[in-house]
Amino acid sequence: MAYGVIVSPSVGEPYTLSEITDTLAGYVSGLVFDDLPDVVVERARLLLLDFVGNTVGARYEAETTLQLVETAEALCWRGGDATVLGLSADFAPPAAALLNGALAHSLEFDDTHAAASLHPGATVIPAVLAAAEMVDANGRDLLTAMVAGIEVACRVSKALVPAQHYERGFHPTATAGTFGAAVGAARVFALSGESVVSALGIAGSQASGSMQFMANAGWNKRFHVGAASHNGLVAATLARQGYLGASAAIEGDKGFLQAYAPAPQPELAIEALGEQFETLAVALKPYPACRLAHAALDGILDLKREHRFAVDQVKSVEIGLSKLALDITGQPQSRKRRPRNFVEGQFSMHTCAAIALQQGSLTWTDYKQLWERGETKDMADRVSVYHDEDVEADYPERLSGRVRITVGADVFETKVDVPSGEPERFLSSDEILGKFAGLATSHIGDDRISAIADVVANADKLNSARELTRATLASETGLLGEAAAE
């Protein structure tokens, strides 16, 4: 696929690492819908459907929605014509980007990219939607911008070497995601390559997000994603107005990679650009829990289905994880067995394993109803986690996990190399709709979910992106008593 660049090497010569920002900007500015393979377009539609389901579901199910909307009220962010999905179409565009991003991530149910270790769609799509409403973009431009943003977010995060970025205390979704959101919005605005460079330069001064939220399961993580969407939209809008951003924001001596990672691999940001689509490597979550726990959860559910043991017969459950998974979902074990709040339980391997063992499933409803029950705590006491060298060797290319369950005198064991929802085991459209229904049926009904899904399925045929955003709104009393617009 051909695309423009600002600084081009001689024919046949590779791009140099001093040209990363320019190369990405040229790719974004030159990308058109017809450049996208059919498989990428179809995957983008499914990622969009999952995003919409998570965001609309969180409008009703997330305990932080009220605070987000009240903050928008307090900051006078109402009165625009941008849409917060499932809520209202009278927000300022930056506010809509922030709220949609935060909502998309609020249930810990959004998309993931294993090698990049981030949630690309949840950061990129809100900025793209807000930008699309600003200029009344069509569905083809919406999908093209989605892909452009996801490609950049994932590539920049891979170049960081995510595990090392985590060790420095950063959250890759919040940091690298800001660049993806910026170029996604920039592509909607049809910015030139030079202007996309400026958008990236401005985004580089806003990329932030600390993992300190793990200390008390604070709500920062949800805000991280919304802030990345908001900051990316602002960066692209400033560039659209001619505001000059820093050059070489990604690879410069004081740029993102050098400042945020001890040993970055810059070449990964542009490797096979335009030929290999990171969009096809994005996974969807079947369980509302940290993605690093999913392989082990698959293993638990597989063993329970295969051996049909009763939960009260389980003596012990041993789970082998990578170091990062152990740090985030497994330690300290005493606290993970007794999460102090809803979010902490979603990052507890012990709690999620205990629910899966009891139910033989881990849906949103399963988690919501069981996470703090005494039976779950009793089972969590029988769960232990450890660092598994084979699982470690798989990371980050594969987010694997090992499970060993002792039932009476029997020991059942399995290692899941590829968790469900990864590209090799991608969720079907029916499974994605099942997620959406599990979150929102009781609030908006199956008919409305089907209607929204139909609009998303035909996203490339939409004359205006507003046909999608407004399809999520119902004629009902909204969160704060306002009538939601059709």
Side-chain angles (χ1 to χ4, degrees), residues 136-167:
D136 199 26
N138 63 36
R140 288 162 64 93
D141 286 338
L142 172 69
L143 292 173
T144 304
M146 268 184 60
V147 172
I150 289 170
E151 291 297 313
V152 169
C154 294
R155 289 170 172 278
V156 169
S157 189
K158 286 173 66 177
L160 284 167
V161 184
Q164 297 177 8
H165 192 55
Y166 271 118
E167 287 177 1

Side-chain angles (χ1 to χ4, degrees), residues 17-22 179 197-198 200-202 204 245-258:
L17 298 186
S18 63
E19 300 164 358
I20 287 176
T21 302
D22 289 354
F179 292 98
V197 169
S198 279
L200 287 166
I202 299 165
S247 62
I250 295 170
E251 74 280 7
D253 290 343
K254 301 295 188 294
F256 180 64
L257 296 181
Q258 293 300 319

Side-chain angles (χ1 to χ4, degrees), residues 243-453:
Y243 201 90
L244 180 64
S247 62
I250 295 170
E251 74 280 7
D253 290 343
K254 301 295 188 294
F256 180 64
L257 296 181
Q258 293 300 319
Y260 285 66
Q265 297 180 22
E267 66 277 6
L268 296 182
I270 56 174
E271 185 176 64
L273 181 63
E275 300 172 6
Q276 177 179 307
F277 285 87
E278 298 297 333
T279 301
L280 296 176
V282 177
L284 298 181
K285 286 185 178 183
Y287 316 122
C290 178
R291 184 59 175 163
L292 296 170
H294 278 221
L297 291 169
D298 281 337
I300 288 169
L301 296 175
D302 288 346
L303 292 175
K304 187 171 176 63
R305 279 189 292 267
E306 180 181 356
H307 300 288
R308 300 177 180 275
F309 50 79
V311 69
D312 58 2
Q313 296 175 324
V314 174
K315 289 184 176 179
S316 66
V317 182
E318 300 164 85
I319 298 175
L321 301 171
S322 67
K323 180 182 183 300
L324 182 63
L326 192 65
D327 289 345
I328 293 177
T329 72
Q331 294 179 333
Q333 297 208 50
S334 59
R335 198 164 87 195
K336 292 297 184 181
R337 292 189 178 105
R338 294 291 184 274
R340 293 166 294 179
N341 58 40
F342 192 91
V343 175
E344 198 164 73
Q346 290 177 292
F347 285 83
S348 163
M349 186 74 257
H350 305 72
T351 298
C352 292
I355 295 170
L357 282 163
Q358 291 174 83
Q359 294 294 98
S361 62
L362 186 55
T363 66
W364 176 254
T365 300
D366 292 333
Y367 181 80
K368 186 170 68 170
Q369 292 180 347
L370 296 178
W371 76 272
E372 58 181 342
R373 286 193 180 174
E375 298 91 334
T376 301
K377 295 174 183 177
D378 290 343
M379 177 56 66
D381 286 337
R382 287 174 261 171
V383 177
S384 61
V385 297
Y386 67 95
H387 183 231
D388 187 295
E389 294 292 344
D390 292 337
V391 171
E392 184 66 46
D394 291 337
Y395 180 81
E397 286 75 18
R398 294 186 297 175
L399 304 180
S400 62
R402 190 188 305 277
V403 178
R404 184 183 302 112
I405 303 177
T406 301
V407 181
D410 298 317
V411 177
F412 307 121
E413 183 171 351
T414 188
K415 179 174 181 281
V416 175
D417 292 326
V418 179
S420 54
E422 288 296 315
E424 302 94 320
R425 303 177 61 190
F426 200 72
L427 301 187
S428 67
S429 57
D430 286 343
E431 289 173 315
I432 298 169
L433 276 174
K435 275 183 62 174
F436 193 170
L439 293 170
T441 291
S442 63
H443 304 291
I444 64 175
D446 287 332
D447 289 346
R448 192 156 195 87
I449 289 172
S450 295
I452 294 170

Side-chain angles (χ1 to χ4, degrees), residues 445-467:
D446 287 332
D447 289 346
R448 192 156 195 87
I449 289 172
S450 295
I452 294 170
D454 286 344
V455 174
V456 175
N458 293 285
D460 57 314
K461 300 178 180 65
L462 300 178
N463 293 320
S464 171
R466 289 188 185 280
E467 297 176 54

